[in-house]
Amino acid sequence: MGEAIPWQPTEALHFNLEQAERGETPECIAVEDSDGQSSHCGELLNRVRASWSWLLDADRISSEHRVMTREHMSRNWLKETLQLEESDIHRFPDSEHFSNRKSHPSLPPPTQLLTSNPTEVYELANTPPPLGYTPTFANRLYLADLLDLEDVKLLEFGSLFNPARLVLSHKDSMSLFERTERMMVFNESILDAVSDAIAERLGGRDTYFAVHLHIGKSFGNTRTVNIFNKVCHALGLDVPTTTALRRTIRHHGSNLQIHLAPANPSTSFSPSAGFSCPSALHPPSSPLAPLNRVLFIATDKPAAEELAMFRNTFPCVFFFDDMQDREEVKRLGRLVGDGTGQPLERYLVPFVEALVIGKAQVALGSESCISDD
């Protein structure tokens, strides 16, 4: 658990992982991204290991899948534990960051079995692209092709294999995939207790709005604006009002002297009596009265300047850091890892935030993945 592993070419990633497992500081690997260049140094050490059975209900998953607990990420562990030779392993390494590719054909052609570019695997040949398909990966591989790999015991796909790289067609396969997703539920009771306490502070389940906003190292402002628009529209503000509001914030900060028509009484909102908000509410007659709704924001960077847009607009906006007075949150802060004594709170906060979002009346999120940064 911890910071998402940044994308790196496959060999560089494994080199850093194995150094991290030995307690050594990984070398800096310069990775070119859409903004130029960024360097990822030492980030692989900013994590803590926990078993799946501690965090998730692994017994349910094991009932339908053969699951092996992997003690660490080195290739030597794979060879020693599974008794593999190098000739038993066929690799599909990634040498390019797929999100940086400037153009793609409408449908990737079948690939040669040995490829150094990101590959997606189709269950059946001649499968049409999924609805709304946007070509992302450089190559296409059919599952049947893998049967031609004789005497191969282990297939290693890329730097970060993910479900988007497997395109299923059989109903049984899709059903198994969906059941597995449903079985990925949290198994640690303290996470439920903390999220319940936060939801109660926000007014109770199904009463507040929640947002997941991934800022990352790039595109943070664009994502923030997009989510801001989504929240305003969900609360009943039309596009002209939202646009005027953003312009006012940009020029005047928290001094929202916005000249618009009064709010419709049916769209105005005020928290229940006795509910305490960080800032003064907008008057009931204000066009901004719908923004009095209680809003919880889960984000990787709660102190980012981009979030001033929300802090200056929503008087009842809350972040995880605002919940430190709750006894259940204090319990989370006292939790340490078995055998390491390492505090676990910062690693568990994203899971707690996910549960808080799941208990909201309305949940909105940014379209992002860890490979963006």
Side-chain angles (χ1 to χ4, degrees):
M1 297 185 292
E3 293 184 15
I5 299 175
W7 184 91
Q8 296 176 18
T10 301
E11 294 306 315
L13 176 67
H14 279 282
F15 174 76
N16 279 355
L17 283 172
E18 296 202 14
Q19 281 195 314
E21 296 292 352
R22 293 195 297 267
E24 302 173 14
T25 302
E27 293 181 358
C28 290
I29 303 294
V31 180
E32 184 175 349
D33 57 24
S34 59
D35 288 340
Q37 280 196 340
S38 63
S39 185
H40 302 289
C41 307
E43 293 182 359
L44 297 180
L45 299 180
N46 196 18
R47 296 177 180 85
V48 66
R49 185 182 295 111
S51 69
W52 281 102
S53 59
W54 180 79
L55 186 63
L56 298 173
D57 190 351
D59 290 340
R60 295 178 61 189
I61 299 174
S62 299
S63 67
E64 296 201 37
H65 302 276
R66 294 180 60 189
V67 177
M68 174 176 287
T69 299
R70 185 169 179 175
E71 296 176 1
H72 57 75
M73 298 296 294
S74 71
R75 282 173 169 167
N76 283 338
W77 183 88
L78 280 176
K79 293 179 180 179
E80 293 170 2
T81 305
L82 302 180
Q83 300 295 303
L84 299 176
E85 302 293 336
E86 188 64 31
S87 59
D88 296 325
I89 304 173
H90 189 95
R91 296 190 172 94
F92 296 84
D94 288 353
S95 61
E96 299 179 35
H97 193 176
F98 69 80
S99 63
N100 282 344
R101 296 178 65 84
K102 302 303 181 184
S103 61
H104 298 278
S106 59
L107 187 65
T111 182
Q112 299 297 318
L113 280 180
L114 182 61
T115 174
S116 60
N117 291 320
T119 302
E120 62 183 346
V121 182
Y122 276 66
E123 188 174 23
L124 295 178
N126 302 318
T127 302
L131 185 65
Y133 175 79
T134 300
T136 301
F137 299 97
N139 296 293
R140 182 179 186 179
L141 177 67
Y142 300 125
L143 197 59
D145 294 337
L146 301 179
L147 299 177
D148 296 332
L149 296 172
E150 298 180 359
D151 302 322
V152 171
K153 299 178 180 179
L154 178 68
L155 302 177
E156 182 184 277
F157 284 91
S159 300
L160 295 171
F161 193 76
N162 65 74
R165 300 179 75 160
L166 183 60
V167 182
L168 301 174
S169 299
H170 285 300
K171 289 184 178 180
D172 288 346
S173 300
M174 291 187 286
S175 175
L176 178 60
F177 183 85
E178 292 171 359
R179 291 199 307 275
T180 303
E181 282 192 317
R182 288 196 298 269
M183 289 187 287
M184 299 285 285
V185 295
F186 293 123
N187 196 41
E188 180 51 49
S189 59
I190 192 173
L191 301 182
D192 279 321
V194 175
S195 62
D196 283 341
I198 293 175
E200 180 184 0
R201 171 66 182 90
L202 296 171
R205 295 180 67 136
D206 299 321
T207 64
Y208 57 92
F209 277 43
V211 163
H212 165 255
L213 177 52
H214 173 65
I215 293 177
K217 296 182 176 68
S218 56
F219 311 115
N221 187 62
T222 300
R223 289 172 181 156
T224 304
V225 170
N226 289 340
I227 292 299
F228 183 87
N229 291 342
K230 286 183 181 181
V231 175
C232 290
H233 298 162
L235 291 173
L237 273 65
D238 57 22
V239 173
T241 302
T242 303
T243 302
L245 178 58
R246 280 206 326 272
R247 290 172 178 168
T248 302
I249 296 169
R250 185 168 63 247
H251 295 295
H252 302 288
S254 59
N255 183 25
L256 297 178
Q257 301 299 321
I258 184 168
H259 300 289
L260 296 168
N264 185 324
S266 64
T267 63
S268 62
F269 178 84
S270 294
S272 58
F275 188 92
S276 176
C277 291
S279 302
L281 299 177
H282 301 295
S285 61
S286 167
L288 304 181
L291 306 185
N292 289 334
R293 175 75 63 171
V294 179
L295 176 66
F296 178 79
I297 297 182
T299 180
D300 54 325
K301 295 185 178 180
E305 62 181 15
E306 289 93 340
L307 293 173
M309 181 181 301
F310 286 93
R311 297 183 191 275
N312 292 337
T313 311
F314 295 87
C316 291
V317 63
F318 292 90
F319 298 83
F320 179 84
D321 290 345
D322 298 319
M323 303 295 167
Q324 298 300 318
D325 61 330
R326 314 299 290 184
E327 184 57 37
E328 292 81 1
V329 175
K330 293 178 182 178
R331 283 179 53 207
L332 190 69
R334 294 191 292 267
L335 201 62
V336 297
D338 292 340
T340 66
Q342 186 173 359
L344 296 179
E345 179 181 21
R346 68 191 182 104
Y347 302 109
L348 296 176
V349 167
F351 300 113
V352 171
E353 290 180 325
L355 289 171
V356 174
I357 291 175
K359 295 168 183 176
Q361 179 186 14
V362 174
L364 301 167
S366 53
E367 297 178 0
S368 63
C369 70
I370 55 179
S371 59
D372 286 339
D373 300 310

